[in-house]
Amino acid sequence: MKAIRANGLTKYYGNSRGIVELDLNVNEGDFFGFIGPNGAGKSTTIRTLLGLLRQDSGSAEILGMDIEKDKTRILKEVGYLPSEAVFYSGMRVRDVLLLSANLRQKDCRQAAGELCERLHLDTSKKVDELSFGNRKKLGIVCALQHNPRLCVMDEPTSGLDPLMQREFFRILRERHSQGATLFLSSHVLSEIQRNCSHAAIIREGRIIAAGSVEELSKTTARRIVVHGGVPPAGLTGIRDLREIEGGVSFLYSGDINPLLRELTRHPIQDLSINEPDLEEIFLHYYKEGSENHDISEA
């Protein structure tokens, strides 16, 4: 069963692009990353999938339920953390948590208490007194306390300090091991690489690549760092050429033998050949254009 299935999902804001003919499939039980810079369409995708925005065309299902016909049922089964959580002024943290639990008709006091303790969230404080990071913590607890089948997190770590980020992902991995599906939207690529098994890359409202994080990270390109030499001339497959102290760095996707022959024509102090990191691969997808690369295993 698919936790998320979208076909041709399109949303415009007047004449401005939101998302365009977006296709997306997330298997139930997956830990899925949704990658793209600000403005790429991540939040629009999420809000449309959850029925918080009405699509202009296309269709989608969440946990087998139609996003138009079954919106109320969907929201009961989903834990959603928006990129910027907003709460009723004057309420205390414990009141917000109780309201969130009551909306789902569940007793979440034990789970809420455990989550607040782990995230160091003071339930006696008023929401107006909370820092941005503590508001984010409150949003996390609201999203997770009812033990949802699907957790949708939109830029969840912004505002959290490194220790809280570590604890947050520890909590998510525990939920994943218990069978929950996790959908994590982020522009922090290291978060996706460390935690997600599958991912999709969105650019200008369209999915341009999707598949396992391992497959997305595979590329014939290598990061070459040369100290003491000079940039190789006359070879194709070189891009992102940078001057560094005492040498050059570049991505190379051609045959390695002509490169080595060219480099050895000059005195070399040091040479390293490494796989590029996910951020470099992500930029590769963006620079290669908007054609959809579906490399999913499913």
Side-chain angles (χ1 to χ4, degrees):
M1 178 177 171
K2 299 293 183 185
I4 299 174
R5 185 195 300 273
N7 296 300
L9 204 61
T10 299
K11 173 64 183 177
Y12 276 88
Y13 300 98
N15 294 324
S16 300
R17 182 269 306 157
I19 52 176
V20 183
E21 297 181 355
L22 185 141
D23 296 331
L24 183 64
N25 290 285
V26 178
N27 291 325
E28 192 165 11
D30 204 353
F31 200 141
F32 195 93
F34 197 40
I35 314 169
N38 293 332
K42 301 190 303 297
S43 294
T44 298
T45 300
I46 289 171
R47 292 169 185 163
T48 305
L49 286 170
L50 295 180
L52 304 176
L53 294 174
R54 185 179 179 85
Q55 75 269 32
D56 295 318
S57 61
S59 62
E61 293 182 350
I62 300 292
L63 300 170
M65 297 177 281
D66 184 87
I67 62 170
E68 287 191 278
K69 299 175 184 177
D70 304 311
K71 181 171 67 173
T72 302
R73 288 174 58 205
I74 288 171
L75 292 175
K76 284 186 177 181
E77 297 288 347
V78 174
Y80 169 48
L81 174 69
S83 56
E84 293 188 16
V86 179
F87 306 101
Y88 291 118
S89 178
M91 295 184 73
R92 297 189 183 276
V93 169
R94 57 173 172 261
D95 299 324
V96 173
L97 295 174
L98 181 60
L99 173 61
S100 179
N102 288 342
L103 288 172
R104 294 178 170 88
Q105 299 177 334
K106 288 189 175 182
D107 183 353
C108 304
R109 286 174 293 182
Q110 181 176 345
E114 292 172 355
L115 288 166
C116 288
E117 183 176 354
R118 293 180 67 172
L119 294 173
H120 300 168
L121 180 61
D122 186 347
T123 60
S124 66
K125 284 197 171 184
K126 290 188 176 182
V127 294
D128 311 86
E129 302 170 349
L130 298 179
S131 65
F132 177 71
N134 280 320
R135 289 200 302 274
K136 183 59 66 80
K137 294 178 188 178
L138 177 54
I140 290 169
V141 179
C142 286
L144 296 179
Q145 65 173 348
H146 61 292
N147 195 28
R149 290 171 59 190
L150 170 63
C151 305
V152 179
M153 304 283 175
D154 191 1
E155 301 287 355
T157 58
S158 60
L160 297 182
D161 65 49
L163 289 177
M164 283 298 102
Q165 289 182 26
R166 185 182 303 176
E167 184 64 25
F168 167 71
F169 279 111
R170 188 176 291 120
I171 292 168
L172 290 192
R173 287 191 292 270
E174 289 172 6
R175 294 301 178 95
H176 182 235
S177 68
Q178 294 164 7
T181 305
L182 301 176
F183 186 87
L184 176 68
S185 163
S186 180
H187 64 265
V188 182
L189 300 175
S190 59
E191 293 180 350
I192 303 298
Q193 194 162 25
R194 284 196 303 265
N195 298 285
C196 299
S197 53
H198 294 83
I201 299 173
I202 186 169
R203 176 189 187 220
E204 296 179 355
R206 299 177 187 269
I207 301 294
I208 60 171
S212 72
V213 170
E214 180 181 0
E215 288 296 325
L216 285 171
S217 300
K218 283 183 180 178
T219 174
T220 59
R222 295 292 181 267
R223 170 62 64 181
I224 312 293
V225 180
V226 184
H227 289 91
V230 297
L235 291 179
T236 60
I238 292 176
R239 53 191 169 87
D240 193 28
L241 180 64
R242 312 171 190 169
E243 290 188 7
I244 60 175
E245 185 176 354
V248 292
S249 170
F250 55 89
L251 286 175
Y252 182 70
S253 55
D255 184 348
I256 197 70
N257 292 297
L259 172 66
L260 293 176
R261 285 195 295 269
E262 179 66 25
L263 290 175
T264 54
R265 292 175 55 202
H266 309 278
I268 296 176
Q269 297 174 0
D270 191 22
L271 171 67
S272 66
I273 302 176
N274 299 294
E275 291 187 355
D277 61 25
L278 187 59
E279 183 168 1
E280 290 175 318
I281 295 165
F282 172 80
L283 293 174
H284 161 73
Y285 280 114
Y286 260 61
K287 291 175 181 177
E288 288 297 308
S290 59
E291 183 180 353
N292 192 329
H293 302 272
D294 188 351
I295 56 175
S296 58
E297 298 172 341

